[in-house]
Amino acid sequence: QLRPALEDPTLLANVTPRAQLSHGERSGIPRSQEAKSIKKALTVVGLAFFVLSGVGSGVHALRRHLSYSLVEAARTGDVGRTTSLLRWGWLSDMNHRSVLWGPAEAGQTDVVALLLDEGVYPSTSALELTADEGHMEIVALLLESGADATGVDLSGAAEAGHVEAVALLIGEGADLSSPWPLIRAAQEGHADVVDVLVQAGAGINKCGSSYNGVDRVSAAIGNTLSRIVGSPQRMEARSHSGPLHAERCYPLALARSIKAGHTKIAEMLIAAGSNVLAKDYSTGGPTPVELAHEGGQADMIQLLDSALELPLPGNVINAAEAGDWNRLSRVVALGADVNEPETWSSGSSYGRTALMYAALSGRADMVATLLQAGADVTLATPQDSATALSLATDNGHDDVVELLLAAGTQR
């Protein structure tokens, strides 16, 4: 009896399979009510997430505020507030090192000691800031707590004249490779700091690798073209005016002391071996001797002029170039290095020796003096391999050629 009804297609067409029913319909819950329940649940979840995010952000903001409060309390020397904030752990990782900078620079010894006892890291930055201000008790505290002095820049302490801090940090291994501590101490007139730095072996010159102007342009153009055509080789061209790269040095500390009128410091730097005839390789500016004459200070002029008679770097070359046999003889007799190459020029003379200058000018008397003092006839310039013999030959100085050939044969 049921078969005709089951076989009726209109009856089965209106029946939805159970697998296609929603959870609510299978449970007897109307679809509209099910949607409202889902919406309500999602709203609750969203509100909970918002509340939790707000609480997290609030805690983070509070912690950051209190951390900065700790930094400020430490900087101003408020021991009580610093202690309270430390007790509650309001020291974030972000401020764990910088919290020491403020009190160290401000000279807050008690706070620095408290922070170090609490395990704050004694950074090199804190040590440098303290030395710049000359707070020796804090410098000692930081060093005792393990602060590393090897990375400290002494420029600030030297410029401020804190000789005790400079001396102590040098003893702890502070780096002396930078010329700026000496330059700044010389400029500011701190003779005691200059003396400490020089005695410790600080460099008296500012040196650098300098491009010759012509080579700078030609190399830049050549390298650009190489990139365009895909060449794997970069230009290493040299022009007639000198090497592409040349290590040049200039006694900037001496120049600054001359400009500032610090005669005593200038004398100290000259005694340490500053080249009074070197030109500024970076600007082509005047030599220290020329600076003294430009300044018009009588005692400084006398000091620099008398320095030309000393066996200092550059003096024997300058005397030979100037054709001054009397001065050449005096500086050679005092032990000047007769084989010193010129390293302060940016022209083709880079690398020339006094013997080359004497040979170039045909001064047989100066050539003989230099050879007797041990001048090396085999030395050559780096850019064009010129020797004293080639310079004398090219300029037709036969008497000088004979002297050089004889010296070369004897050696």
Side-chain angles (χ1 to χ4, degrees), residues 96-101 104 116 120-130 142-143 145-149 152:
H96 196 270
R97 294 193 179 196
S98 62
V99 70
L100 196 57
W101 299 351
L116 292 174
V120 174
Y121 179 75
S123 66
T124 299
S125 297
L127 182 60
E128 185 175 311
L129 288 168
T130 307
L142 292 169
L143 290 172
S145 299
D148 184 8
V152 171

Side-chain angles (χ1 to χ4, degrees), residues 221-235:
I221 294 173
N223 291 330
T224 301
L225 292 175
S226 297
R227 287 194 296 271
I228 293 174
V229 301
S231 172
Q233 296 181 341
R234 290 181 60 82
M235 280 191 67

Side-chain angles (χ1 to χ4, degrees), residues 258-259 279 285-297 300-301:
I258 292 171
K259 286 183 177 180
K279 282 189 174 294
T287 67
V289 171
E290 292 168 343
L291 280 174
H293 283 269
E294 288 177 5
Q297 188 176 335
M300 190 72 77
I301 293 173

